[in-house]
Amino acid sequence: MSQPSIMIVEDEEPLTLLLRYNLEAEGYQVSTAARGDDADLMLRESLPDLLLLDWMLPGLSGIELCRRLRQRDETRELPIILLTARGEESERVRGLSTGADDYIVKPFSVPELLARVKALMRRSAPTRVASLLEIGELSLNRETHRVKRGSRDLHLGPTEFRILEFLMERPGRVFSRAHLLDSVWGMDSDIDERTVDVHVGRLRKAINRPREKDPIRTVRGTGYSFDESFARR
Ligand code: CA
């Protein structure tokens, strides 16, 4: 399965960078445009799986671009999340009436945006966000929250579940404790990084019996990763 792709159309560069960083960490392929008219041209060349579209843009406003996209056959169904400024209730409604699928009000938290993106991806392209993650003998079902090793049901706490889901989505990639804190607990949590170790310890206890291969790899001085070789046993 190829990586789902997202295009960010936003003229505030720091926000674009923040979104790109976080979306790439989630496994999305990201393209960007800083002007509405540039985005319009790019979208005639190739289509992303989802569009994050700022309201106020130079060249062509997000609203106008959204309206145009909805008039073209190729982009009529393109999933669009509109980014709007705070306190524009009536405008926000107008945003949805121009055909955006969802909107999010600035300033927003990154985990909230990621959750919206995931939800819209799931609605619009359910095969892109598989409900069942399977690596080797380990399977994790996002819908039912059941985790199994072979035929054995594993009992994970909610945090352990999210850590495992996050790592299984990106096998082989190494994540620092700080990155895991951002992604699993949320950007503005001020939890100690050692908390990550505690939960990874619990996760290991839940999934490994003595002498079983540990799918979670500790990378000294860096963090954790889901061991790719676990798939090959
Ligand atoms: Ca803007």
Side-chain angles (χ1 to χ4, degrees), residues 10-12 54 56-57 106:
E10 168 61 71
D11 58 326
E12 286 167 56
D54 185 29
M56 298 293 281
L57 289 167
K106 294 178 183 178

Side-chain angles (χ1 to χ4, degrees), residues 10-132:
E10 168 61 71
D11 58 326
E12 286 167 56
E13 207 188 339
L15 182 57
T16 306
L17 290 174
L18 176 76
L19 292 176
R20 177 194 275 277
Y21 171 83
N22 283 281
L23 289 166
E24 285 180 346
E26 290 285 312
Y28 298 106
Q29 236 172 14
V30 177
S31 59
T32 63
R35 296 175 54 95
D37 45 359
D38 289 349
D40 195 16
L41 289 175
M42 286 168 71
L43 289 165
R44 288 169 193 273
E45 297 289 313
S46 71
L47 286 180
D49 293 307
L50 186 146
L51 187 65
L52 281 180
L53 181 58
D54 185 29
W55 175 283
M56 298 293 281
L57 289 167
L60 183 67
S61 79
I63 286 300
E64 184 51 32
L65 178 55
C66 192
R67 196 172 285 139
R68 291 188 189 183
L69 292 172
R70 287 301 181 243
Q71 282 164 4
R72 293 209 294 266
D73 282 345
E74 321 78 71
T75 49
R76 201 178 303 279
E77 307 279 324
L78 177 66
I80 299 176
I81 298 178
L82 210 54
L83 311 176
T84 78
R86 188 177 287 284
E88 296 176 317
E89 203 64 51
S90 61
E91 298 205 356
R92 277 191 254 153
V93 175
R94 206 147 60 83
L96 289 180
S97 70
T98 62
D101 298 277
D102 198 1
Y103 66 86
I104 190 159
V105 181
K106 294 178 183 178
F108 47 80
S109 78
V110 171
E112 190 195 350
L113 179 97
L114 294 176
R116 298 283 194 93
V117 165
K118 218 178 236 183
L120 182 54
M121 281 278 189
R122 204 172 279 152
R123 289 208 299 277
S124 58
T127 53
R128 285 308 191 118
V129 190
S131 60
L132 191 67

Side-chain angles (χ1 to χ4, degrees), residues 185-197:
W185 278 262
M187 198 76 162
D188 27 58
S189 63
D190 47 346
I191 301 168
D192 194 281
E193 289 191 4
R194 276 166 300 187
T195 307
V196 177
D197 300 333

